[in-house]
Amino acid sequence: MDIRFLSTFLEVANTRHFGKAADNLYLTQSAVSARIKLLEEYFDVELFVRHRNSIQLTVAGERLIPFAQQLSENLQEAKKALAKTAITTIHCACTPNAYFTPVGQAIANLGNHIHDISVRNDLANIELISRQLHDHTIDIGFTTEPLKLDNVESIKLFELPLALFGHQHEQAERQYIHIEWNQKISDAVFKSCPEFKQSTLKTSSASIGLDQLLSHPNSCAILPKNIVSGNSTLSHKVGNLVQIESTFDVSLSVFLSVMQGIPQSEIEQITNYFKQIIP
């Protein structure tokens, strides 16, 4: 027997009205009637006497009330006890270049800052992230461009200044590796430095761009300014890179996106977490 049948019985007993009980339980009146009928069949007794304008409890119905109340209270206590030990899984998805920023490390540390959650994180393009948010297959998306979609709220977490980097030793002419952070940044760079349009390599992945830069001493690429500081998890592998003077001034924005109206306290905790730890 479904324990919810007893909750329905108690609501009908309290309201003495199938329609009011249905409204209070967010059910149809026929669903309430069906539950009461099944409950009566289970106990093989009549629980209510149905008059034209009123509903009265039978003797059996009166006797069932304390048992139904006790079972409902026990169920609520069980829910509370289980909730204390339950682990909520938060599903995140990042575009590759959003993950390349401090967001990646922040996601890795998320479980250490918010108790009783498990984090699943995947890489995806912006189109897939948009679709997954709408389908509720992910809870949060991280992108380097805002998602302009109905019912999706995109919150700017931070702006990350970018700069041109190359190896420490001087070169007469450096080969430019173009990382496609987003169209706005590419346009600004090519306007200031038209020669960069003839880049030796173009890639949409900052990780690939960095690997190519580290592999080719006579090259340069646009990367986050903090990449050579202790604030970056990549600092240990880019110690030989130095910032090169350039004429452009660009920054990369990173956005956190969630579906509007999701009443999940974990989502609010996570949003606040990222706002606080990422400068």
Side-chain angles (χ1 to χ4, degrees), residues 65-78:
I65 285 179
F67 295 102
Q69 289 174 333
Q70 185 63 50
L71 284 170
S72 295
E73 290 173 3
N74 289 344
L75 180 62
Q76 292 301 319
E77 290 298 320

Side-chain angles (χ1 to χ4, degrees), residues 164 174-181 196 199-203 205 208-216 218-222:
L164 188 65
R174 297 179 188 269
Q175 295 177 331
Y176 175 63
I177 299 169
H178 181 61
I179 299 171
E180 297 168 348
W181 292 101
F196 282 179
S199 57
T200 57
L201 172 71
K202 292 184 175 71
T203 177
S205 168
I208 292 175
L210 176 59
D211 287 342
Q212 289 294 318
L213 175 60
L214 295 175
S215 301
H216 295 81
N218 191 29
S219 61
C220 61
I222 294 173

Side-chain angles (χ1 to χ4, degrees), residues 30-214:
S30 60
V32 170
S33 297
R35 287 185 177 186
I36 296 301
K37 183 179 179 180
L38 289 171
L39 200 59
E40 289 177 328
E41 291 177 354
Y42 179 82
F43 288 112
D44 195 22
V45 294
E46 189 176 25
L47 298 173
F48 296 98
V49 178
R50 297 151 176 87
H51 300 293
R52 174 175 294 182
N53 296 319
S54 66
I55 296 175
Q56 299 297 324
L57 282 162
T58 64
V59 174
E62 292 281 3
R63 289 178 177 174
L64 180 58
I65 285 179
F67 295 102
Q69 289 174 333
Q70 185 63 50
L71 284 170
S72 295
E73 290 173 3
N74 289 344
L75 180 62
Q76 292 301 319
E77 290 298 320
K79 283 184 176 180
K80 290 179 182 178
L82 292 175
K84 291 179 180 179
T85 57
I87 294 179
T88 301
T89 299
I90 300 298
H91 294 263
C92 304
C94 299
T95 56
N97 288 348
Y99 187 77
F100 186 83
T101 72
V103 162
Q105 187 62 35
I107 292 175
N109 292 329
L110 184 57
N112 297 326
H113 289 264
I114 301 178
H115 298 298
D116 299 328
I117 68 165
S118 172
V119 181
R120 176 185 173 88
N121 185 52
D122 295 301
L123 297 181
N125 60 36
I126 195 167
E127 291 80 11
L128 180 56
I129 289 175
S130 300
R131 186 163 66 250
Q132 289 178 325
L133 281 171
H134 270 294
D135 294 343
H136 298 285
T137 53
I138 63 172
D139 301 300
I140 304 175
F142 296 93
T143 60
T144 55
E145 297 179 67
L147 301 183
K148 299 178 181 179
L149 300 169
D150 293 338
N151 301 320
V152 170
E153 181 181 6
S154 287
I155 304 164
K156 183 191 287 189
L157 292 177
F158 58 89
E159 283 193 4
L160 201 62
L162 304 179
L164 188 65
F165 285 92
H167 292 263
Q168 284 184 348
H169 56 275
E170 296 183 4
Q171 297 289 336
E173 183 178 351
R174 297 179 188 269
Q175 295 177 331
Y176 175 63
I177 299 169
H178 181 61
I179 299 171
E180 297 168 348
W181 292 101
N182 60 41
Q183 191 59 51
K184 183 179 179 181
I185 291 174
S186 294
D187 290 343
V189 171
F190 291 152
K191 183 178 180 180
S192 298
C193 308
E195 68 276 14
F196 282 179
K197 291 182 180 181
Q198 307 302 320
S199 57
T200 57
L201 172 71
K202 292 184 175 71
T203 177
S204 60
S205 168
S207 295
I208 292 175
L210 176 59
D211 287 342
Q212 289 294 318
L213 175 60
L214 295 175

